[in-house]
Amino acid sequence: MAKHLKPETLCVQAGWNPKKGEPRVLPIYQSTTFKYETSEQMARLFDLEESGYFYTRLQNPTNDAVAAKIAALEGGVGAMLTSSGQAANFYALFNICQAGDHFVCSSAIYGGTFNLFGVTMKKLGVEVTFVSPDASEEEIGAAFRPNTKALFGETISNPSLEVLDIEKFARIAHSHGVPLIVDNTFPTPINCRPFEWGADIIVHSTTKYMDGHATSVGGCIVDSGNFDWEAHAEKFPGLCTPDESYHGLTYTTAFGKMAYLTKATAQLMRDLGSAQGPQNAFLLNLGLETLHLRMPQHCNNALKVAQYLEKNEKVAWVNYCSLPGNKYYDLAQKYLPNGSCGVISFGLKGEREVATRFMDSLQLVAIVTHVADARTCVLHPASHTHRQLTDEQLTEAGVRPDLIRLSVGIENADDIIADIEQALNQ
């Protein structure tokens, strides 16, 4: 689809372009397999000599259409859907890392991702060094090793809501000959396009704002096509040397800018199988069609709620980067001038029981293990999503013990505030 089209149009139109007599709405290709006329046709698909569909774990027309829409929104050369955001994070790194390798990561990331990188991937022989995103370029650069293969960060961290200085992180990554991978889940491409600031690969938990209705778990990896793997071929042998499982094919030679995604599909999805189902991809596409309408409402509501909380005497502190005076306000104005996201973090005065009583007293706002959908919801990360982390790790991840994560939905802001007020008064 034409690159000059605006995000609003891409949300609605990109990905699926029906021909004469085809369905106007993206169909669900609910089939595990696809028919061919000759054995030779199938053989060429398995040898990556032709593009086509033969098994949904690897490719599916519904999934490919939705992936193409997300790639268009982010400005990438291509994308691949995964079964979850965690799968996207793992694949994005494991596609270029192997046992004995290392990567550097911002410490301000989602607790589940922190555990994936710091515990599970370590068991596979891939080590990580966590760094403060606010550290100087020299301090972050000191964490790199000869076997470092990537730098990772979240545009807006979950739940600490720190804003990543993407340009700074891109400079550091590129000065060490590795790609910058950015999780852009919270802003979505409606509010930030990290490729425009130097990022090389973007990951999403599509479960959040992209789906928008808490109906389907999913993830996505988008490649900018800008990183020159061949210029650093010694670091990335999986991409730049022959793959014996495909008769000696070299991905960078055979697929150019699509080398990274082709390898992720042909190797990782083939062998590990964290594929998104076509039904989930269909639901994700419905969410994407209204993403450009929902994100401004999320942001407008969140700003009103943050302003209310900031003035309430029972609230100890509020963290929302769109509030003037916030530590990340200037970075937010640079990278997120049209709004950040609908997620706020704050703390109440008093002991932890105060936060528990507040959340239990909410009526409109629900306590759920989710964030970033149409309905306003609340969570206490230290007790829920991040409870596997030690106090030291919580601090390193920027999660205070009293932090309450409020995901502001698209209801009427006055109704949300009224519910918060009555709960604070209990």
Side-chain angles (χ1 to χ4, degrees):
M1 183 156 285
K3 291 186 176 181
H4 69 273
L5 294 176
K6 300 293 190 295
E8 297 86 348
T9 303
L10 294 173
C11 279
V12 179
Q13 296 273 6
W16 174 245
N17 299 300
K19 302 177 180 64
K20 180 180 179 181
E22 291 185 331
R24 184 65 187 90
V25 175
L26 174 66
I28 304 171
Y29 285 84
Q30 194 65 48
S31 179
T32 61
T33 191
F34 302 84
K35 178 182 179 294
Y36 287 87
E37 299 297 330
T38 70
S39 177
E40 176 62 22
Q41 290 173 336
M42 184 71 77
R44 292 181 66 81
L45 292 174
F46 272 96
D47 285 344
L48 304 182
E49 295 176 356
E50 286 185 8
S51 179
Y53 301 101
F54 53 93
Y55 199 63
T56 281
R57 185 175 79 242
L58 294 171
Q59 285 181 297
N60 177 281
T62 305
N63 291 32
D64 283 0
V66 180
K69 176 174 287 190
I70 295 174
L73 285 166
E74 287 287 14
V77 295
M80 180 181 80
L81 298 187
T82 61
S83 60
S84 69
Q86 284 293 73
N89 288 335
F90 175 66
Y91 278 22
L93 284 157
F94 204 60
N95 199 37
I96 51 177
C97 293
Q98 60 186 13
D101 285 342
H102 169 262
F103 65 99
V104 179
C105 181
S106 165
S107 60
I109 57 173
Y110 168 59
T113 307
F114 194 101
N115 198 71
L116 167 66
F117 291 170
V119 178
T120 303
M121 290 189 70
K122 186 176 182 179
K123 295 176 182 177
L124 298 174
V126 180
E127 293 190 1
V128 62
T129 298
F130 292 106
V131 296
S132 168
D134 296 332
S136 68
E137 294 190 33
E138 292 73 23
E139 290 174 304
I140 297 173
F144 281 71
R145 306 173 187 173
N147 61 338
T148 300
K149 299 300 176 70
L151 179 58
F152 185 99
E154 294 180 356
T155 312
I156 301 176
S157 59
N158 176 18
S160 57
L161 303 179
E162 299 181 34
V163 178
L164 189 73
D165 190 339
I166 303 172
E167 280 193 318
K168 180 180 82 171
F169 266 58
R171 280 196 304 271
I172 297 167
H174 297 158
S175 70
H176 289 86
V178 303
L180 172 60
I181 304 174
V182 173
D183 185 326
N184 199 37
T185 295
F186 271 11
T188 79
I190 299 302
N191 286 342
C192 183
R193 286 168 39 117
F195 290 156
E196 296 176 354
W197 301 99
D200 301 291
I201 297 160
I202 290 172
V203 293
H204 284 278
S205 170
T206 62
T207 317
K208 310 303 190 298
Y209 288 121
M210 284 188 167
D211 169 86
H213 301 85
T215 62
S216 55
V217 174
C220 186
I221 305 171
V222 190
D223 187 6
S224 67
N226 294 331
F227 190 80
D228 189 347
W229 305 103
E230 288 283 359
H232 310 283
E234 74 287 352
K235 283 183 175 289
F236 307 104
L239 286 164
C240 303
T241 60
D243 180 357
E244 296 307 318
S245 69
Y246 282 107
H247 310 296
L249 174 149
T250 299
Y251 292 98
T252 51
T253 302
F255 300 104
K257 289 182 179 293
M258 289 297 292
Y260 174 88
L261 284 174
T262 302
K263 179 179 179 293
T265 302
Q267 276 190 357
L268 299 188
M269 195 63 79
R270 175 195 65 187
D271 296 343
L272 301 176
S274 298
Q276 187 167 148
Q279 176 73 50
N280 277 10
F282 174 82
L283 293 171
L284 169 58
N285 187 61
L286 293 181
L288 287 168
E289 289 183 353
T290 60
L291 182 64
H292 62 292
L293 300 175
R294 290 182 284 105
M295 287 307 295
Q297 180 73 357
H298 281 291
C299 294
N300 291 337
N301 280 355
L303 183 58
K304 291 177 182 178
V305 172
Q307 290 168 338
Y308 164 80
L309 291 171
E310 195 175 39
K311 296 174 183 176
N312 193 292
E313 60 181 16
K314 297 182 180 181
V315 176
W317 57 272
V318 180
N319 182 21
Y320 187 61
C321 63
S322 296
L323 280 175
N326 182 273
K327 178 181 179 180
Y328 296 99
Y329 180 77
D330 290 341
L331 279 179
Q333 292 306 297
K334 174 180 178 178
Y335 295 117
L336 308 153
N338 298 320
S340 54
C341 65
V343 184
I344 301 167
S345 62
F346 66 98
L348 299 178
K349 295 176 182 177
E351 301 298 324
R352 182 175 290 195
E353 292 73 21
V354 175
T356 301
R357 185 170 64 249
F358 162 73
M359 290 193 294
D360 289 349
S361 300
L362 291 164
Q363 298 173 1
L364 178 71
V365 180
I367 303 173
V368 300
T369 310
H370 196 244
V371 67
D373 68 52
R375 306 161 192 84
T376 302
C377 56
V378 69
L379 193 74
H380 183 240
S383 299
H384 304 138
T385 55
H386 289 61
R387 68 180 296 116
Q388 76 274 20
L389 303 185
T390 65
D391 286 346
E392 183 178 301
Q393 289 174 324
L394 282 170
T395 301
E396 188 178 4
V399 180
R400 306 188 196 189
D402 65 338
L403 184 151
I404 296 171
R405 185 185 72 184
L406 181 69
S407 178
V408 182
I410 58 174
E411 306 96 340
N412 184 280
D414 292 339
D415 290 336
I416 299 169
I417 291 171
D419 190 37
I420 293 170
E421 185 167 22
Q422 66 82 22
L424 288 172
N425 291 332
Q426 296 300 315

